[in-house]
Amino acid sequence: MSYNGGPMTEAMYYVLLALIRPNHGYQLMQSITEVSRGRLKMGPGTLYGVLSRMQKDGLIVLAKDDGRRKTYEITKEGEQALRVEYERLKSLINDSRILEEANDE
Amino acid sequence: MSKIVRKIRPSEYWRIGEHESYFSDMSLKGLHLHKIGTYFIHFKKGEPKRIEYRMEVTKKKSITYEQIDLYEENGWEYVTSYQYFHVFSSLEESNAPEIHTDPAEQAYTLQRLSKILLVNLIAMSLAVALMIGLLSATWFLDGTPVLRLVEGYIIQQSIMSILFLYYVYYSIQATRAIRSLKRDLNEGKAINHHAPWQSSLHKNAIFPFFYAGIALVSAILPVMQLIKMDTYTLPQEDGGLPIVRLADIEQNPLLQRDEYYIDEVDWANRYSTNWSIFAPVQYETDEGGIVEGRMWLDESGTYSPSISSEIYELTFQAFAAPLVKDLIKWNSYKEEIDSYVEIDHATLDELRVHEEEEQKQIVAVKGKVVMYVRYYGYADVDHLIENVAQKIEVFAEKENT
């Protein structure tokens, strides 16, 4: 199933976020953990699945392939998709203010 | 050198969680997964260990180095593959991170397999339906299924199509299971890596062997039939064959053979042998003669009587009665079928006769032997019946001793 601009899975979102800087498999997992401040520990299977799917969808590309180590980076489309998703998440947060206000009363 | 122990491979390969759990339990007994074959799973004997196993599904039948590397960097060692399934293992104490942390993402890994299974299922169902359609036409279109069964030409294909039919059922199970696993993952239900496997995994494990056995045995049938099938020129004298002979019927010293040789066999005076599981001894015969100086009564030409017959020795006597019906149906015109007369005979179990001018048709049963005879000529039908009774008697006795 190719990406059609709808809500992203958490895994997709964080991989795109981490690939703002080109990176390869194992290190990518660690930078995802870093970016999410330890909240998200992504398994290698999930990462591999997300990478190959997003590569097919053109959200990321292979930047360097020296034999076994493959370095990926985000594409223009990927970055755009990430920003669209970020805006969507932001409005989610905005809309959720009701909750905070409810707490204040 | 460590010893390899083989176990029958569970046929329900789509039960991923059960397999992972099974491999873990085997490792606890010191049997560590080594290889997955078509019929057997190979385990290497060693020290009992607590090992976690994970089965990965890929889009292609092979797995990329990149994927293996990424898993191995995370403490999951690649063990073996079988088609779209790949097994990784990790010592429980090493606490390797879980391979799939997002069930919905894991659902994507089943997408391709799910599609392949569905496409294969549809293609196979169509092929099997076509095959069964053609076979049913052969069995039933003439309305003589017992004759077809006894002749035995399409038994092997029929057994094979039943096996294929089971395979379609098996593929439906696989397709449905993978689809529902995909759905569960999509809904966030992760695979239970310690699912109980004892009852679910091995219940049908023996079936592939059974399946292969039947396929093998049924493959012998046509070979056996080919060995037993042959055609010979009828000997001039009796030859000890259970065949009603033209000379005995005509009793005319002027009768001569009307020969028609192809490849050293006189096809106008021949007998063919055949074999099937339901009729291990079968003969089909033709014999034709000519009496110089005598004419058919309607002056159409020289008198040339002929006799054709089919003889079956059945495995089961129960087939005799339906075979009689089928032989009549197969060898007669529609309007003739009802004009057969049933006659009580001193030695035959069953006797049906149809006589119309110079054509006489007889179907007789004695024990497990069924004989059909068609005669064109002026000899008396009672004389023909006695010859049939005598030959069938000799044959039935010979086969009984």
Side-chain angles (χ1 to χ4, degrees), chain B residues 120-134 161 164 168:
Chain B
N120 285 351
L121 174 63
I122 291 169
M124 200 167 54
S125 303
L126 290 176
V128 172
L130 185 71
M131 188 171 156
I132 289 177
L134 288 172
S161 66
F164 282 137
V168 168

Side-chain angles (χ1 to χ4, degrees), chain B residues 153 220-232 271-276 279-283:
Chain B
Y153 293 119
I220 296 171
L221 296 178
V223 176
M224 188 75 182
Q225 201 161 22
L226 273 178
I227 293 170
K228 296 273 187 172
M229 269 171 76
D230 217 335
T231 296
Y232 310 90
Y271 71 100
S272 302
T273 55
N274 191 9
W275 175 94
S276 80
V281 183
Q282 299 181 32
Y283 294 103

Side-chain angles (χ1 to χ4, degrees), chain A residues 9 43 45-46 48 53 69 72, chain B residues 64 66 71 73 99 101 105:
Chain A
T9 63
T46 302
Y48 183 81
R53 205 151 44 79
R69 187 130 288 182
Y72 295 93
Chain B
T64 60
E66 193 194 1
Y71 288 16
E73 279 173 332
I99 289 180
T101 45
E105 284 293 339

Side-chain angles (χ1 to χ4, degrees), chain B residues 61-76:
Chain B
K61 281 187 183 175
S62 58
I63 184 163
T64 60
Y65 280 123
E66 193 194 1
Q67 192 170 5
I68 292 177
D69 279 354
L70 190 61
Y71 288 16
E72 294 200 334
E73 279 173 332
N74 284 279
W76 290 97

Side-chain angles (χ1 to χ4, degrees), chain A residues 20-87:
Chain A
I20 295 286
R21 275 189 322 207
N23 213 337
H24 61 80
Y26 188 60
Q27 263 184 26
L28 193 54
M29 290 173 64
Q30 292 179 331
S31 58
I32 288 167
T33 312
E34 256 167 55
V35 167
S36 69
R37 284 172 289 162
R39 194 177 61 80
L40 187 62
K41 289 199 168 62
M42 193 180 291
T46 302
L47 175 66
Y48 183 81
V50 171
L51 284 177
S52 43
R53 205 151 44 79
M54 291 202 305
Q55 192 187 354
K56 220 176 108 195
D57 292 347
L59 301 178
I60 59 171
V61 283
L62 208 55
K64 214 171 76 188
D65 184 359
D66 52 355
R68 289 191 154 190
R69 187 130 288 182
K70 288 179 172 169
T71 307
Y72 295 93
E73 68 183 359
I74 196 163
T75 62
K76 280 228 167 59
E77 290 85 358
E79 207 175 320
Q80 204 198 336
L82 182 63
R83 286 187 191 283
V84 168
E85 180 68 1
Y86 175 56
E87 291 304 322

Side-chain angles (χ1 to χ4, degrees), chain B residues 152-208:
Chain B
Y153 293 119
I154 49 173
I155 289 178
Q156 193 247 351
Q157 291 95 311
S158 304
I159 293 173
M160 286 314 283
S161 66
I162 291 169
L163 292 184
F164 282 137
L165 205 59
Y166 178 81
Y167 197 71
V168 168
Y169 166 71
Y170 176 72
S171 304
I172 290 172
Q173 276 187 302
T175 311
R176 286 183 60 178
I178 292 294
R179 281 174 82 90
S180 93
L181 180 62
K182 206 179 102 196
R183 200 175 45 235
D184 284 353
L185 286 168
N186 255 326
E187 286 168 4
K189 286 183 220 155
I191 289 175
N192 176 7
H193 306 298
H194 293 278
W197 54 268
Q198 281 83 352
S199 60
S200 56
L201 212 52
H202 280 99
K203 62 175 184 221
N204 294 325
I206 204 73
F207 199 85

